[in-house]
Amino acid sequence: MFRHELSDFDHSRPAADGAFGRERLDAALTEPDRELVLIEQDGRVVGFAAVRGLLGPCRVVSAFFVVRTARRAGIGGRAADALLRARPGPWEIPFQQVNAAAVVFWRGVAERAAPGAWHEERRPVPGRPDLPPDVWISLSQPPGTDAHHVPPRSPSRR
């Protein structure tokens, strides 16, 4: 579902078997500096976040997805806030400028995590000169920050 939704922005298509690539998912499940965090609502998985850079100085949200039926209820924002709080320090969050919902969502997450102390820059998409540059938000999540009292529950780590 995640890759299908991104196809609106990266113009990707499924392989001959009808499936989209699983490279990010496989890496999040097998690489030592990555993790996959499941997002749950009412005991059901409704999304996930993939993080890379766990062994380095800066973590990167390499994928984030919430199913459409769970959106607009705050679950994504609470999950993103909890994700950043779980690992204080520098973070980078890339997204596509043409994805209007992502622009609003990630700017809100950044402002809650580091009010007035985050910035954006445009970076080319590696290996994809046909696409416009991605937007990258950079911020530092201080230890012990409650991100303005957000979640009543945090994402499940698997």
Side-chain angles (χ1 to χ4, degrees):
M1 290 185 291
F2 168 72
R3 292 297 308 147
H4 177 263
E5 191 163 299
L6 278 184
S7 69
D8 275 348
F9 310 110
D10 68 9
H11 313 293
S12 60
R13 295 183 184 268
D17 66 357
F20 282 90
R22 297 177 39 105
E23 297 81 16
R24 287 187 196 178
L25 175 61
D26 291 341
L29 293 170
T30 61
E31 299 292 323
D33 76 330
R34 297 178 186 233
E35 108 181 297
L36 184 69
V37 179
L38 298 180
I39 301 169
E40 295 181 348
Q41 182 181 43
D42 300 326
R44 299 176 78 177
V45 174
V46 295
F48 70 90
V51 177
R52 70 176 190 259
L54 297 178
L55 303 177
C58 182
R59 279 138 316 278
V60 176
V61 178
S62 58
F64 190 91
F65 177 76
V66 174
V67 297
R68 290 179 189 262
T69 57
R71 294 179 190 169
R72 309 279 184 251
I75 186 73
R78 287 190 300 274
D81 294 342
L83 182 71
L84 299 181
R85 277 196 323 276
R87 295 187 183 275
W91 280 89
E92 291 187 326
I93 306 163
F95 56 91
Q96 297 80 26
Q97 180 72 35
V98 296
N99 184 345
V103 171
V104 172
F105 177 81
W106 287 115
R107 286 178 178 164
V109 170
E111 189 59 27
R112 288 191 303 275
W118 55 277
H119 71 276
E120 288 183 12
E121 67 178 300
R122 305 296 185 272
R123 298 182 194 170
V125 179
R128 294 294 308 266
D130 57 312
L131 294 178
D134 281 343
V135 176
W136 285 68
I137 287 179
S138 298
L139 61 89
S140 187
Q141 175 69 62
T145 302
D146 74 352
H148 301 290
H149 69 272
V150 188
R153 85 183 267 132
S154 56
S156 301
R157 298 193 184 278
R158 303 272 163 116

